[in-house]
């Protein structure tokens, strides 16, 4: 068995936290030494203020990142609010006739107190949660449902969404014909709309094709590209997919780029080489900026619609490998790229697969056609 871990990213993450902790301790020590008269007051004050400001900036950036990743960002927000209240209280208790220096010291104490509260809250909230990637559950409806049925399905997902952790990003990808109606049904919810394919060209005489700009105009945020069914039945090659990716990015759509081997390739032990080639031939052509806006879906062809699922260990093994291949080109940014598992994923097996370190959610086919099952898969992420 091969081992490809993302330990180095985790270690970097832990190191960053340790640096932040050290900064906070330095703030306390500098403040204490200047209060105790060991350091000249001006020096203590300057260090104190600088470090406290730096610590706050760092915390604010982290909180913003968490908010955009929707990973308990509101908890961080409230810890900031609590810290702000504590700071306000310290300032409020300053005597009326306080000198400028006394007020200055109060402000420093307030910043320190607020920073400490936030840092403690932050560490409690995110203890043992180094993975900052987006959690995604995307439904690929394929060529199923009539438009009215699709609308009912979307409404069902919207209705039950509140029961699932808000940290999960839901996406539904109906057929082209349903997009505008489903967009309407999703209005006011946080469920994103995606398409299952897009044209390789921007516009023109391409009968039967649908341009990425048209999808964006209907409210799509995502587009599935390179699904094995399109590679297999419609002869999609890496050359075509490169053009489709360009179209997606040109229209602000996030591609959900699918990779995966067939049964023969798996049995011949070629699965690593197959996904590597699928990534190298397409993803490696992206700019760093584009790569930051990419979702990968690993879908072993032998598991799609067959009821056969990859084991959680198999999924983790190849997801970690995919991340390693991504890191070879994009470095640390690979740690941020969501990699979804697809292939007979259902409520009964989602939690076990999603618990794996490098699995960031699922691209769901059959089980996405029932709102209850789709939502139950979302519950596979521990709150
Ligand atoms: P199933 O979940 O039906 O196996 O389909 C997976 C898939 O192909 C999603 O794109």
């Amino acid at each position: 068995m091969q081992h490809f871990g993302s330990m180095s990213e985790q270690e970097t993450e832990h190191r960053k936290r340790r640096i932040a902790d050290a900064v906070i301790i330095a703030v306390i020590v500098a403040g204490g030494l200047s209060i105790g008269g060991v350091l000249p007051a001006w020096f203590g004050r300057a260090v104190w203020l600088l470090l406290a400001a730096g610590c706050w900036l760092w915390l604010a950036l982290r909180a913003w990142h968490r908010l955009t990743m929707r990973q308990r960002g509101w908890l961080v927000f409230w810890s900031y609010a609590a810290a702000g209240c504590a700071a306000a209280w310290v300032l409020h208790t300053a005597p009326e006739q306080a000198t400028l220096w006394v007020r200055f010291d109060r402000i420093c104490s307030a910043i320190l107190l607020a920073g400490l509260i936030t840092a403690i809250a932050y560490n409690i909230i995110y203890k043992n949660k180094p993975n900052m990637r987006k959690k995604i559950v995307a439904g690929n409806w394929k060529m199923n449902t009539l438009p009215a049925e699709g609308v009912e399905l979307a409404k069902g997902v919207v209705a039950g969404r509140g029961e699932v952790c808000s940290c999960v990003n839901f996406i539904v990808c109906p057929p082209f014909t349903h997009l505008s109606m489903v967009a309407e049904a999703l209005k006011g919810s946080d469920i994103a709309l995606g398409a299952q394919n897009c044209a390789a060209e921007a516009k023109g005489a391409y009968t039967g094709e649908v341009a990425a700009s048209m999808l964006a105009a209907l409210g799509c945020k995502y587009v599935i590209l390179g699904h094995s069914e399109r590679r297999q039945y419609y002869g999609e090659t890496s050359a075509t997919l490169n053009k489709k990716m360009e179209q997606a990015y040109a229209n602000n759509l996030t591609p959900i780029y699918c990779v995966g081997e067939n049964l023969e390739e798996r049995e011949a032990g070629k699965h690593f080489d197959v996904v590597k080639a699928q990534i190298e031939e397409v993803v490696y052509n992206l700019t760093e900026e584009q790569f930051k806006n990419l979702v990968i879906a690993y879908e072993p062809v032998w598991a799609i619609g067959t009821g056969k699922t990859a084991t959680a260990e198999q999924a983790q093994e190849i997801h970690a490998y995919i991340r390693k291949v991504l890191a070879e080109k994009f470095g640390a940014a690979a740690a941020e790229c969501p990699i979804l598992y697809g292939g007979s994923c259902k409520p009964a097996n989602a939690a076990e697969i999603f618990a794996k370190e490098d699995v960031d959610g699922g691209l769901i086919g059959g089980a996405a056609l029932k709102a209850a099952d789709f939502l139950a898969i979302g519950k596979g992420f521990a709150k």
Side-chain angles (χ1 to χ4, degrees):
M1 168 150 154
Q2 305 188 43
H3 290 281
F4 305 97
S6 53
M7 271 320 285
S8 59
E9 288 90 24
Q10 279 187 44
E11 276 164 11
T12 319
E13 193 62 34
H14 285 157
R15 203 172 303 136
K16 279 190 201 160
R17 276 206 221 163
R18 250 171 256 134
I19 291 171
D21 290 345
V23 168
I24 292 162
I25 291 165
V27 170
I28 299 167
V29 172
L33 288 180
S34 72
I35 288 170
V38 179
L39 287 173
W42 66 266
F43 180 81
R45 283 179 175 131
V47 172
W48 198 352
L49 196 63
L50 272 176
L51 288 181
C55 149
W56 261 81
L57 181 69
W58 186 84
L59 283 164
L61 289 174
R62 306 274 302 166
W64 175 249
H65 187 72
R66 291 286 183 179
L67 271 174
T68 53
M69 291 283 141
R70 303 180 51 203
Q71 287 190 345
R72 304 184 180 199
W74 289 107
L75 281 177
V76 173
F77 173 81
W78 284 114
S79 71
Y80 265 71
C85 289
W89 175 75
V90 171
L91 286 176
H92 183 71
T93 57
E96 290 268 305
Q97 304 304 322
T99 66
L100 211 60
W101 276 123
V102 169
R103 287 194 181 277
F104 180 84
D105 286 346
R106 291 262 162 185
I107 290 170
C108 286
S109 312
I111 290 174
L112 178 59
L113 184 61
L116 265 179
I117 292 175
T118 310
I120 291 167
Y122 193 91
N123 274 296
I124 292 171
I125 294 166
Y126 293 116
K127 199 166 186 290
N128 303 325
K129 283 192 187 296
N131 179 345
M132 311 231 299
R133 292 185 287 274
K134 257 187 181 172
K135 306 292 176 207
I136 297 175
V137 174
N140 175 8
W141 296 3
K142 307 193 179 183
M143 199 172 72
N144 291 300
T145 73
L146 291 174
E149 293 164 343
V151 168
E152 279 315 300
L153 175 54
K155 283 184 178 166
V157 177
V158 172
R161 197 269 173 269
E163 294 161 24
V164 187
C165 176
S166 65
C167 60
V168 180
N169 295 263
F170 280 107
I171 306 167
V172 292
C173 304
F176 289 140
T177 44
H178 305 18
L179 286 172
S180 62
M181 282 190 265
V182 170
E184 197 58 35
L186 297 180
K187 251 190 197 152
S189 80
D190 66 349
I191 297 158
L193 187 64
Q196 298 172 20
N197 182 26
C198 74
E201 312 295 336
K203 64 174 181 172
Y206 300 100
T207 304
E209 287 293 277
V210 178
S213 58
M214 300 170 187
L215 303 174
L218 289 181
C220 287
K221 297 279 179 259
Y222 294 85
V223 60
I224 299 172
L225 290 177
H227 192 281
S228 61
E229 285 150 18
R230 295 218 53 90
R231 293 182 194 256
Q232 199 178 338
Y233 307 141
Y234 303 97
E236 273 192 3
T237 60
S238 294
T240 321
L241 287 167
N242 277 316
K243 292 170 83 178
K244 292 189 176 194
M245 294 283 265
E246 274 309 312
Q247 287 303 316
Y249 284 113
N251 292 283
N252 296 320
L253 297 175
T254 298
I256 302 175
Y257 179 69
C258 304
V259 296
E261 79 287 352
N262 61 31
L263 187 59
E264 214 175 281
E265 291 160 340
R266 164 73 58 169
E267 283 176 347
K270 290 186 186 154
H271 44 299
F272 291 110
D273 295 340
V274 170
V275 297
K276 187 172 193 213
Q278 288 167 336
I279 291 169
E280 282 178 346
E281 288 168 16
V282 178
V283 179
Y284 272 24
N285 296 328
L286 302 182
T287 64
E288 281 179 16
E289 224 26 61
Q290 288 172 329
F291 177 69
K292 283 185 192 156
N293 210 13
L294 174 74
V295 177
I296 301 257
Y298 166 68
E299 300 204 311
V301 180
W302 47 272
I304 296 177
T306 57
K308 258 193 196 175
T309 325
T311 63
E313 286 70 29
Q314 282 173 322
Q316 168 57 23
E317 184 186 36
I318 198 144
H319 279 226
Y321 175 73
I322 290 169
R323 202 175 298 291
K324 180 181 162 275
V325 173
L326 296 173
E328 276 163 19
K329 168 80 179 168
F330 297 101
E336 304 278 312
C337 178
I339 305 177
L340 315 182
Y341 169 79
S344 299
C345 190
K346 39 188 181 278
N349 58 25
E352 193 191 348
I353 299 173
F354 294 174
K356 292 293 177 189
E357 170 61 26
D358 286 289
V359 180
D360 305 307
L363 180 55
I364 320 298
L369 297 172
K370 273 195 189 149
D373 285 355
F374 187 56
L375 291 163
I377 288 173
K379 288 180 189 166
F381 284 111
K383 284 219 176 199

